[in-house]
PDB file of all heavy atoms in Angstrom:
ATOM      1  N   MET A 193     -41.582  21.742  -0.377  1.00  0.00           N
ATOM      2  CA  MET A 193     -40.789  20.538  -1.079  1.00  0.00           C
ATOM      3  C   MET A 193     -39.434  20.505  -0.414  1.00  0.00           C
ATOM      4  O   MET A 193     -38.993  19.391  -0.104  1.00  0.00           O
ATOM      5  CB  MET A 193     -40.628  20.809  -2.515  1.00  0.00           C
ATOM      6  CG  MET A 193     -40.135  19.523  -3.223  1.00  0.00           C
ATOM      7  SD  MET A 193     -41.295  18.308  -3.096  1.00  0.00           S
ATOM      8  CE  MET A 193     -41.402  17.680  -4.797  1.00  0.00           C
ATOM      9  N   LYS A 194     -38.874  21.562   0.003  1.00  0.00           N
ATOM     10  CA  LYS A 194     -37.577  21.612   0.569  1.00  0.00           C
ATOM     11  C   LYS A 194     -37.428  20.759   1.796  1.00  0.00           C
ATOM     12  O   LYS A 194     -36.455  20.107   2.121  1.00  0.00           O
ATOM     13  CB  LYS A 194     -37.081  23.096   0.848  1.00  0.00           C
ATOM     14  CG  LYS A 194     -35.537  23.125   1.085  1.00  0.00           C
ATOM     15  CD  LYS A 194     -35.146  24.504   1.064  1.00  0.00           C
ATOM     16  CE  LYS A 194     -33.604  24.565   1.212  1.00  0.00           C
ATOM     17  NZ  LYS A 194     -33.048  25.868   1.218  1.00  0.00           N
ATOM     18  N   PRO A 195     -38.388  20.840   2.699  1.00  0.00           N
ATOM     19  CA  PRO A 195     -38.394  20.146   4.085  1.00  0.00           C
ATOM     20  C   PRO A 195     -38.204  18.581   3.853  1.00  0.00           C
ATOM     21  O   PRO A 195     -37.675  17.840   4.563  1.00  0.00           O
ATOM     22  CB  PRO A 195     -39.559  20.491   4.800  1.00  0.00           C
ATOM     23  CG  PRO A 195     -39.907  21.777   4.235  1.00  0.00           C
ATOM     24  CD  PRO A 195     -39.513  21.786   2.764  1.00  0.00           C
ATOM     25  N   TYR A 196     -38.979  18.104   2.777  1.00  0.00           N
ATOM     26  CA  TYR A 196     -38.937  16.708   2.513  1.00  0.00           C
ATOM     27  C   TYR A 196     -37.582  16.362   1.963  1.00  0.00           C
ATOM     28  O   TYR A 196     -37.040  15.217   2.254  1.00  0.00           O
ATOM     29  CB  TYR A 196     -39.949  16.379   1.386  1.00  0.00           C
ATOM     30  CG  TYR A 196     -41.445  16.502   1.912  1.00  0.00           C
ATOM     31  CD1 TYR A 196     -42.232  17.459   1.392  1.00  0.00           C
ATOM     32  CD2 TYR A 196     -41.813  15.621   2.860  1.00  0.00           C
ATOM     33  CE1 TYR A 196     -43.457  17.526   1.934  1.00  0.00           C
ATOM     34  CE2 TYR A 196     -43.060  15.845   3.376  1.00  0.00           C
ATOM     35  CZ  TYR A 196     -43.966  16.810   2.859  1.00  0.00           C
ATOM     36  OH  TYR A 196     -45.206  16.812   3.307  1.00  0.00           O
ATOM     37  N   LYS A 197     -36.859  17.045   1.261  1.00  0.00           N
ATOM     38  CA  LYS A 197     -35.475  16.823   0.823  1.00  0.00           C
ATOM     39  C   LYS A 197     -34.527  16.761   1.919  1.00  0.00           C
ATOM     40  O   LYS A 197     -33.745  15.882   2.024  1.00  0.00           O
ATOM     41  CB  LYS A 197     -34.963  17.856  -0.241  1.00  0.00           C
ATOM     42  CG  LYS A 197     -35.633  17.944  -1.604  1.00  0.00           C
ATOM     43  CD  LYS A 197     -35.000  18.793  -2.573  1.00  0.00           C
ATOM     44  CE  LYS A 197     -35.513  18.814  -3.867  1.00  0.00           C
ATOM     45  NZ  LYS A 197     -34.944  19.791  -4.802  1.00  0.00           N
ATOM     46  N   ASN A 198     -34.647  17.659   2.926  1.00  0.00           N
ATOM     47  CA  ASN A 198     -33.799  17.638   4.171  1.00  0.00           C
ATOM     48  C   ASN A 198     -34.109  16.217   4.870  1.00  0.00           C
ATOM     49  O   ASN A 198     -33.353  15.671   5.534  1.00  0.00           O
ATOM     50  CB  ASN A 198     -34.154  18.757   5.011  1.00  0.00           C
ATOM     51  CG  ASN A 198     -33.612  20.082   4.416  1.00  0.00           C
ATOM     52  OD1 ASN A 198     -32.788  20.036   3.563  1.00  0.00           O
ATOM     53  ND2 ASN A 198     -34.031  21.194   4.945  1.00  0.00           N
ATOM     54  N   LEU A 199     -35.408  15.958   5.025  1.00  0.00           N
ATOM     55  CA  LEU A 199     -35.777  14.616   5.735  1.00  0.00           C
ATOM     56  C   LEU A 199     -35.223  13.504   5.074  1.00  0.00           C
ATOM     57  O   LEU A 199     -34.739  12.476   5.620  1.00  0.00           O
ATOM     58  CB  LEU A 199     -37.312  14.521   5.843  1.00  0.00           C
ATOM     59  CG  LEU A 199     -38.038  15.442   6.978  1.00  0.00           C
ATOM     60  CD1 LEU A 199     -39.437  15.221   6.884  1.00  0.00           C
ATOM     61  CD2 LEU A 199     -37.452  15.060   8.248  1.00  0.00           C
ATOM     62  N   LEU A 200     -35.244  13.522   3.609  1.00  0.00           N
ATOM     63  CA  LEU A 200     -34.593  12.344   2.974  1.00  0.00           C
ATOM     64  C   LEU A 200     -33.133  12.382   3.131  1.00  0.00           C
ATOM     65  O   LEU A 200     -32.634  11.152   3.236  1.00  0.00           O
ATOM     66  CB  LEU A 200     -35.057  12.561   1.371  1.00  0.00           C
ATOM     67  CG  LEU A 200     -34.466  11.486   0.521  1.00  0.00           C
ATOM     68  CD1 LEU A 200     -35.091  10.166   0.922  1.00  0.00           C
ATOM     69  CD2 LEU A 200     -34.984  11.753  -0.953  1.00  0.00           C
ATOM     70  N   PHE A 201     -32.522  13.398   3.203  1.00  0.00           N
ATOM     71  CA  PHE A 201     -31.099  13.494   3.332  1.00  0.00           C
ATOM     72  C   PHE A 201     -30.813  12.837   4.791  1.00  0.00           C
ATOM     73  O   PHE A 201     -29.839  12.092   4.944  1.00  0.00           O
ATOM     74  CB  PHE A 201     -30.507  14.925   3.217  1.00  0.00           C
ATOM     75  CG  PHE A 201     -29.133  14.989   3.597  1.00  0.00           C
ATOM     76  CD1 PHE A 201     -28.134  14.654   2.764  1.00  0.00           C
ATOM     77  CD2 PHE A 201     -28.754  15.616   4.704  1.00  0.00           C
ATOM     78  CE1 PHE A 201     -26.843  14.793   3.028  1.00  0.00           C
ATOM     79  CE2 PHE A 201     -27.451  15.677   5.144  1.00  0.00           C
ATOM     80  CZ  PHE A 201     -26.470  15.197   4.343  1.00  0.00           C
ATOM     81  N   ILE A 202     -31.475  13.326   5.719  1.00  0.00           N
ATOM     82  CA  ILE A 202     -31.218  12.977   7.136  1.00  0.00           C
ATOM     83  C   ILE A 202     -31.509  11.382   7.277  1.00  0.00           C
ATOM     84  O   ILE A 202     -30.674  10.732   7.824  1.00  0.00           O
ATOM     85  CB  ILE A 202     -32.099  13.680   8.152  1.00  0.00           C
ATOM     86  CG1 ILE A 202     -31.608  15.172   8.217  1.00  0.00           C
ATOM     87  CG2 ILE A 202     -32.106  13.114   9.572  1.00  0.00           C
ATOM     88  CD1 ILE A 202     -32.471  16.073   9.039  1.00  0.00           C
ATOM     89  N   PHE A 203     -32.667  10.892   6.635  1.00  0.00           N
ATOM     90  CA  PHE A 203     -32.835   9.579   6.706  1.00  0.00           C
ATOM     91  C   PHE A 203     -31.751   8.737   5.888  1.00  0.00           C
ATOM     92  O   PHE A 203     -31.338   7.654   6.621  1.00  0.00           O
ATOM     93  CB  PHE A 203     -34.239   9.250   6.001  1.00  0.00           C
ATOM     94  CG  PHE A 203     -34.622   7.764   6.152  1.00  0.00           C
ATOM     95  CD1 PHE A 203     -35.028   7.325   7.294  1.00  0.00           C
ATOM     96  CD2 PHE A 203     -34.597   6.986   4.926  1.00  0.00           C
ATOM     97  CE1 PHE A 203     -35.408   5.895   7.355  1.00  0.00           C
ATOM     98  CE2 PHE A 203     -35.118   5.699   5.062  1.00  0.00           C
ATOM     99  CZ  PHE A 203     -35.438   5.154   6.245  1.00  0.00           C
ATOM    100  N   SER A 204     -31.410   9.242   4.887  1.00  0.00           N
ATOM    101  CA  SER A 204     -30.175   8.389   4.126  1.00  0.00           C
ATOM    102  C   SER A 204     -28.918   8.482   4.988  1.00  0.00           C
ATOM    103  O   SER A 204     -28.239   7.490   5.048  1.00  0.00           O
ATOM    104  CB  SER A 204     -30.029   8.994   2.807  1.00  0.00           C
ATOM    105  OG  SER A 204     -31.137   9.047   1.895  1.00  0.00           O
ATOM    106  N   PHE A 205     -28.645   9.611   5.599  1.00  0.00           N
ATOM    107  CA  PHE A 205     -27.401   9.772   6.474  1.00  0.00           C
ATOM    108  C   PHE A 205     -27.487   8.689   7.613  1.00  0.00           C
ATOM    109  O   PHE A 205     -26.568   8.053   7.949  1.00  0.00           O
ATOM    110  CB  PHE A 205     -27.290  11.152   6.979  1.00  0.00           C
ATOM    111  CG  PHE A 205     -26.121  11.381   7.804  1.00  0.00           C
ATOM    112  CD1 PHE A 205     -24.818  11.427   7.316  1.00  0.00           C
ATOM    113  CD2 PHE A 205     -26.222  11.465   9.203  1.00  0.00           C
ATOM    114  CE1 PHE A 205     -23.726  11.664   8.204  1.00  0.00           C
ATOM    115  CE2 PHE A 205     -25.147  11.632   9.908  1.00  0.00           C
ATOM    116  CZ  PHE A 205     -23.966  11.781   9.445  1.00  0.00           C
ATOM    117  N   LEU A 206     -28.596   8.726   8.184  1.00  0.00           N
ATOM    118  CA  LEU A 206     -28.890   7.716   9.407  1.00  0.00           C
ATOM    119  C   LEU A 206     -28.728   6.328   8.938  1.00  0.00           C
ATOM    120  O   LEU A 206     -28.083   5.487   9.582  1.00  0.00           O
ATOM    121  CB  LEU A 206     -30.175   7.940  10.155  1.00  0.00           C
ATOM    122  CG  LEU A 206     -30.361   9.231  10.762  1.00  0.00           C
ATOM    123  CD1 LEU A 206     -31.787   9.386  11.271  1.00  0.00           C
ATOM    124  CD2 LEU A 206     -29.381   9.299  12.047  1.00  0.00           C
ATOM    125  N   LEU A 207     -29.270   5.939   7.844  1.00  0.00           N
ATOM    126  CA  LEU A 207     -29.067   4.575   7.355  1.00  0.00           C
ATOM    127  C   LEU A 207     -27.687   4.184   7.029  1.00  0.00           C
ATOM    128  O   LEU A 207     -27.195   3.185   7.358  1.00  0.00           O
ATOM    129  CB  LEU A 207     -30.021   4.349   5.982  1.00  0.00           C
ATOM    130  CG  LEU A 207     -31.337   4.185   6.270  1.00  0.00           C
ATOM    131  CD1 LEU A 207     -32.174   4.013   4.998  1.00  0.00           C
ATOM    132  CD2 LEU A 207     -31.663   2.958   7.130  1.00  0.00           C
ATOM    133  N   CYS A 208     -26.837   5.214   6.365  1.00  0.00           N
ATOM    134  CA  CYS A 208     -25.558   4.852   6.071  1.00  0.00           C
ATOM    135  C   CYS A 208     -24.616   4.843   7.392  1.00  0.00           C
ATOM    136  O   CYS A 208     -23.888   4.026   7.479  1.00  0.00           O
ATOM    137  CB  CYS A 208     -24.970   6.090   5.244  1.00  0.00           C
ATOM    138  SG  CYS A 208     -25.472   5.950   3.500  1.00  0.00           S
ATOM    139  N   GLY A 209     -25.045   5.707   8.275  1.00  0.00           N
ATOM    140  CA  GLY A 209     -24.367   5.589   9.628  1.00  0.00           C
ATOM    141  C   GLY A 209     -24.634   4.307  10.355  1.00  0.00           C
ATOM    142  O   GLY A 209     -23.619   3.752  10.955  1.00  0.00           O
ATOM    143  N   GLN A 210     -25.825   3.759  10.242  1.00  0.00           N
ATOM    144  CA  GLN A 210     -26.184   2.533  10.919  1.00  0.00           C
ATOM    145  C   GLN A 210     -25.298   1.354  10.158  1.00  0.00           C
ATOM    146  O   GLN A 210     -24.732   0.424  10.904  1.00  0.00           O
ATOM    147  CB  GLN A 210     -27.616   2.261  10.723  1.00  0.00           C
ATOM    148  CG  GLN A 210     -27.982   0.979  11.579  1.00  0.00           C
ATOM    149  CD  GLN A 210     -29.549   0.727  11.360  1.00  0.00           C
ATOM    150  OE1 GLN A 210     -30.218   1.392  10.744  1.00  0.00           O
ATOM    151  NE2 GLN A 210     -29.994  -0.299  12.176  1.00  0.00           N
ATOM    152  N   ALA A 211     -25.230   1.412   8.857  1.00  0.00           N
ATOM    153  CA  ALA A 211     -24.414   0.382   8.065  1.00  0.00           C
ATOM    154  C   ALA A 211     -22.966   0.449   8.582  1.00  0.00           C
ATOM    155  O   ALA A 211     -22.317  -0.532   8.835  1.00  0.00           O
ATOM    156  CB  ALA A 211     -24.587   0.529   6.625  1.00  0.00           C
ATOM    157  N   PHE A 212     -22.427   1.607   8.712  1.00  0.00           N
ATOM    158  CA  PHE A 212     -20.983   1.847   9.167  1.00  0.00           C
ATOM    159  C   PHE A 212     -20.912   1.254  10.587  1.00  0.00           C
ATOM    160  O   PHE A 212     -19.885   0.655  10.990  1.00  0.00           O
ATOM    161  CB  PHE A 212     -20.520   3.166   8.966  1.00  0.00           C
ATOM    162  CG  PHE A 212     -20.240   3.567   7.523  1.00  0.00           C
ATOM    163  CD1 PHE A 212     -20.892   4.742   6.928  1.00  0.00           C
ATOM    164  CD2 PHE A 212     -19.402   2.856   6.759  1.00  0.00           C
ATOM    165  CE1 PHE A 212     -20.695   5.046   5.673  1.00  0.00           C
ATOM    166  CE2 PHE A 212     -19.071   3.235   5.482  1.00  0.00           C
ATOM    167  CZ  PHE A 212     -19.629   4.301   4.945  1.00  0.00           C
ATOM    168  N   ALA A 213     -21.820   1.660  11.400  1.00  0.00           N
ATOM    169  CA  ALA A 213     -21.718   1.201  12.860  1.00  0.00           C
ATOM    170  C   ALA A 213     -21.751  -0.358  12.893  1.00  0.00           C
ATOM    171  O   ALA A 213     -20.981  -1.107  13.750  1.00  0.00           O
ATOM    172  CB  ALA A 213     -22.793   1.790  13.609  1.00  0.00           C
ATOM    173  N   GLN A 214     -22.663  -1.000  12.021  1.00  0.00           N
ATOM    174  CA  GLN A 214     -22.672  -2.415  12.141  1.00  0.00           C
ATOM    175  C   GLN A 214     -21.399  -3.181  11.730  1.00  0.00           C
ATOM    176  O   GLN A 214     -20.857  -3.926  12.222  1.00  0.00           O
ATOM    177  CB  GLN A 214     -23.857  -2.897  11.322  1.00  0.00           C
ATOM    178  CG  GLN A 214     -24.027  -4.358  11.289  1.00  0.00           C
ATOM    179  CD  GLN A 214     -25.192  -4.737  10.369  1.00  0.00           C
ATOM    180  OE1 GLN A 214     -25.745  -3.983   9.685  1.00  0.00           O
ATOM    181  NE2 GLN A 214     -25.458  -6.008  10.328  1.00  0.00           N
ATOM    182  N   ASN A 215     -20.746  -2.435  10.570  1.00  0.00           N
ATOM    183  CA  ASN A 215     -19.516  -2.844  10.052  1.00  0.00           C
ATOM    184  C   ASN A 215     -18.494  -2.799  11.129  1.00  0.00           C
ATOM    185  O   ASN A 215     -17.621  -3.729  11.384  1.00  0.00           O
ATOM    186  CB  ASN A 215     -19.153  -2.050   8.910  1.00  0.00           C
ATOM    187  CG  ASN A 215     -17.886  -2.472   8.124  1.00  0.00           C
ATOM    188  OD1 ASN A 215     -17.358  -3.521   8.417  1.00  0.00           O
ATOM    189  ND2 ASN A 215     -17.431  -1.666   7.253  1.00  0.00           N
ATOM    190  N   ASP A 216     -18.426  -1.618  11.857  1.00  0.00           N
ATOM    191  CA  ASP A 216     -17.437  -1.401  12.885  1.00  0.00           C
ATOM    192  C   ASP A 216     -17.559  -2.527  14.013  1.00  0.00           C
ATOM    193  O   ASP A 216     -16.639  -3.003  14.544  1.00  0.00           O
ATOM    194  CB  ASP A 216     -17.507  -0.102  13.508  1.00  0.00           C
ATOM    195  CG  ASP A 216     -17.040   0.943  12.532  1.00  0.00           C
ATOM    196  OD1 ASP A 216     -16.289   0.684  11.491  1.00  0.00           O
ATOM    197  OD2 ASP A 216     -17.310   2.180  12.687  1.00  0.00           O
ATOM    198  N   VAL A 217     -18.920  -2.787  14.462  1.00  0.00           N
ATOM    199  CA  VAL A 217     -19.177  -3.797  15.459  1.00  0.00           C
ATOM    200  C   VAL A 217     -18.570  -5.209  15.102  1.00  0.00           C
ATOM    201  O   VAL A 217     -18.056  -5.789  15.764  1.00  0.00           O
ATOM    202  CB  VAL A 217     -20.726  -3.821  15.787  1.00  0.00           C
ATOM    203  CG1 VAL A 217     -20.983  -4.964  16.603  1.00  0.00           C
ATOM    204  CG2 VAL A 217     -21.040  -2.528  16.435  1.00  0.00           C
ATOM    205  N   THR A 218     -18.951  -5.611  13.700  1.00  0.00           N
ATOM    206  CA  THR A 218     -18.494  -6.916  13.279  1.00  0.00           C
ATOM    207  C   THR A 218     -16.940  -6.930  13.301  1.00  0.00           C
ATOM    208  O   THR A 218     -16.489  -7.951  13.785  1.00  0.00           O
ATOM    209  CB  THR A 218     -18.945  -7.116  11.799  1.00  0.00           C
ATOM    210  OG1 THR A 218     -20.343  -7.132  11.961  1.00  0.00           O
ATOM    211  CG2 THR A 218     -18.479  -8.495  11.336  1.00  0.00           C
ATOM    212  N   ILE A 219     -16.263  -5.946  12.714  1.00  0.00           N
ATOM    213  CA  ILE A 219     -14.790  -5.974  12.849  1.00  0.00           C
ATOM    214  C   ILE A 219     -14.296  -5.930  14.224  1.00  0.00           C
ATOM    215  O   ILE A 219     -13.249  -6.702  14.532  1.00  0.00           O
ATOM    216  CB  ILE A 219     -14.210  -4.771  11.944  1.00  0.00           C
ATOM    217  CG1 ILE A 219     -14.617  -4.771  10.455  1.00  0.00           C
ATOM    218  CG2 ILE A 219     -12.671  -4.666  12.183  1.00  0.00           C
ATOM    219  CD1 ILE A 219     -14.225  -6.032   9.769  1.00  0.00           C
ATOM    220  N   ALA A 220     -14.917  -5.186  14.993  1.00  0.00           N
ATOM    221  CA  ALA A 220     -14.389  -5.198  16.457  1.00  0.00           C
ATOM    222  C   ALA A 220     -14.555  -6.542  17.259  1.00  0.00           C
ATOM    223  O   ALA A 220     -13.815  -6.939  17.998  1.00  0.00           O
ATOM    224  CB  ALA A 220     -15.153  -4.096  17.263  1.00  0.00           C
ATOM    225  N   ALA A 221     -15.711  -7.223  16.941  1.00  0.00           N
ATOM    226  CA  ALA A 221     -15.963  -8.546  17.377  1.00  0.00           C
ATOM    227  C   ALA A 221     -14.877  -9.573  16.938  1.00  0.00           C
ATOM    228  O   ALA A 221     -14.377 -10.321  17.722  1.00  0.00           O
ATOM    229  CB  ALA A 221     -17.340  -9.083  17.116  1.00  0.00           C
ATOM    230  N   ILE A 222     -14.527  -9.501  15.630  1.00  0.00           N
ATOM    231  CA  ILE A 222     -13.481 -10.420  15.186  1.00  0.00           C
ATOM    232  C   ILE A 222     -12.168 -10.068  15.751  1.00  0.00           C
ATOM    233  O   ILE A 222     -11.347 -11.005  16.152  1.00  0.00           O
ATOM    234  CB  ILE A 222     -13.512 -10.299  13.562  1.00  0.00           C
ATOM    235  CG1 ILE A 222     -14.734 -10.929  13.056  1.00  0.00           C
ATOM    236  CG2 ILE A 222     -12.200 -11.032  13.073  1.00  0.00           C
ATOM    237  CD1 ILE A 222     -14.930 -10.674  11.572  1.00  0.00           C
ATOM    238  N   ARG A 223     -11.881  -8.917  15.864  1.00  0.00           N
ATOM    239  CA  ARG A 223     -10.501  -8.379  16.591  1.00  0.00           C
ATOM    240  C   ARG A 223     -10.494  -8.810  17.927  1.00  0.00           C
ATOM    241  O   ARG A 223      -9.380  -9.260  18.464  1.00  0.00           O
ATOM    242  CB  ARG A 223     -10.256  -6.830  16.313  1.00  0.00           C
ATOM    243  CG  ARG A 223      -9.935  -6.556  14.984  1.00  0.00           C
ATOM    244  CD  ARG A 223      -9.860  -5.001  14.863  1.00  0.00           C
ATOM    245  NE  ARG A 223      -9.483  -4.674  13.453  1.00  0.00           N
ATOM    246  CZ  ARG A 223      -9.654  -3.451  12.938  1.00  0.00           C
ATOM    247  NH1 ARG A 223     -10.170  -2.473  13.660  1.00  0.00           N
ATOM    248  NH2 ARG A 223      -9.258  -3.068  11.850  1.00  0.00           N
ATOM    249  N   LYS A 224     -11.571  -8.681  18.654  1.00  0.00           N
ATOM    250  CA  LYS A 224     -11.579  -9.086  20.074  1.00  0.00           C
ATOM    251  C   LYS A 224     -11.417 -10.555  20.179  1.00  0.00           C
ATOM    252  O   LYS A 224     -10.633 -11.069  21.066  1.00  0.00           O
ATOM    253  CB  LYS A 224     -12.931  -8.712  20.655  1.00  0.00           C
ATOM    254  CG  LYS A 224     -13.066  -9.095  22.135  1.00  0.00           C
ATOM    255  CD  LYS A 224     -14.504  -8.664  22.693  1.00  0.00           C
ATOM    256  CE  LYS A 224     -14.468  -9.043  24.244  1.00  0.00           C
ATOM    257  NZ  LYS A 224     -15.962  -8.741  24.727  1.00  0.00           N
ATOM    258  N   GLU A 225     -11.907 -11.266  19.327  1.00  0.00           N
ATOM    259  CA  GLU A 225     -11.758 -12.889  19.421  1.00  0.00           C
ATOM    260  C   GLU A 225     -10.343 -13.259  18.960  1.00  0.00           C
ATOM    261  O   GLU A 225      -9.636 -14.027  19.647  1.00  0.00           O
ATOM    262  CB  GLU A 225     -12.849 -13.555  18.547  1.00  0.00           C
ATOM    263  CG  GLU A 225     -12.645 -15.075  18.545  1.00  0.00           C
ATOM    264  CD  GLU A 225     -12.975 -15.712  19.858  1.00  0.00           C
ATOM    265  OE1 GLU A 225     -13.310 -15.019  20.808  1.00  0.00           O
ATOM    266  OE2 GLU A 225     -12.875 -16.970  20.012  1.00  0.00           O
ATOM    267  N   TYR A 226      -9.739 -12.396  18.036  1.00  0.00           N
ATOM    268  CA  TYR A 226      -8.477 -12.680  17.581  1.00  0.00           C
ATOM    269  C   TYR A 226      -7.378 -12.324  18.754  1.00  0.00           C
ATOM    270  O   TYR A 226      -6.596 -13.152  19.115  1.00  0.00           O
ATOM    271  CB  TYR A 226      -8.129 -11.787  16.481  1.00  0.00           C
ATOM    272  CG  TYR A 226      -6.615 -11.497  15.970  1.00  0.00           C
ATOM    273  CD1 TYR A 226      -6.033 -12.372  15.097  1.00  0.00           C
ATOM    274  CD2 TYR A 226      -5.825 -10.470  16.592  1.00  0.00           C
ATOM    275  CE1 TYR A 226      -4.749 -12.120  14.681  1.00  0.00           C
ATOM    276  CE2 TYR A 226      -4.648 -10.334  16.193  1.00  0.00           C
ATOM    277  CZ  TYR A 226      -3.967 -11.130  15.324  1.00  0.00           C
ATOM    278  OH  TYR A 226      -2.758 -10.936  14.967  1.00  0.00           O
ATOM    279  N   ASN A 227      -7.656 -11.223  19.479  1.00  0.00           N
ATOM    280  CA  ASN A 227      -6.704 -10.845  20.614  1.00  0.00           C
ATOM    281  C   ASN A 227      -6.997 -11.867  21.782  1.00  0.00           C
ATOM    282  O   ASN A 227      -6.022 -12.231  22.510  1.00  0.00           O
ATOM    283  CB  ASN A 227      -7.029  -9.564  21.109  1.00  0.00           C
ATOM    284  CG  ASN A 227      -6.673  -8.383  20.142  1.00  0.00           C
ATOM    285  OD1 ASN A 227      -5.625  -8.683  19.404  1.00  0.00           O
ATOM    286  ND2 ASN A 227      -7.423  -7.298  20.036  1.00  0.00           N
TER     287      ASN A 227
END
């Protein structure tokens, strides 16, 4: 059971990281146009 918990944690971490990366890309694009 423990390996599944680790996989779930890694999968959740990757999803959160992808959301933050998308957020950063959007903000960076707006800042680039502003500049």
Side-chain angles (χ1 to χ4, degrees):
M193 193 67 133
K194 193 172 185 178
Y196 291 114
K197 286 184 180 180
N198 288 340
L199 283 175
L200 182 60
F201 173 76
I202 291 169
F203 183 69
S204 298
F205 179 77
L206 290 173
L207 283 177
C208 289
Q210 184 178 10
F212 285 122
Q214 182 180 3
N215 186 4
D216 290 343
V217 168
T218 299
I219 298 299
I222 292 170
R223 286 181 179 155
K224 182 178 179 182
E225 183 66 1
Y226 168 91
N227 289 328

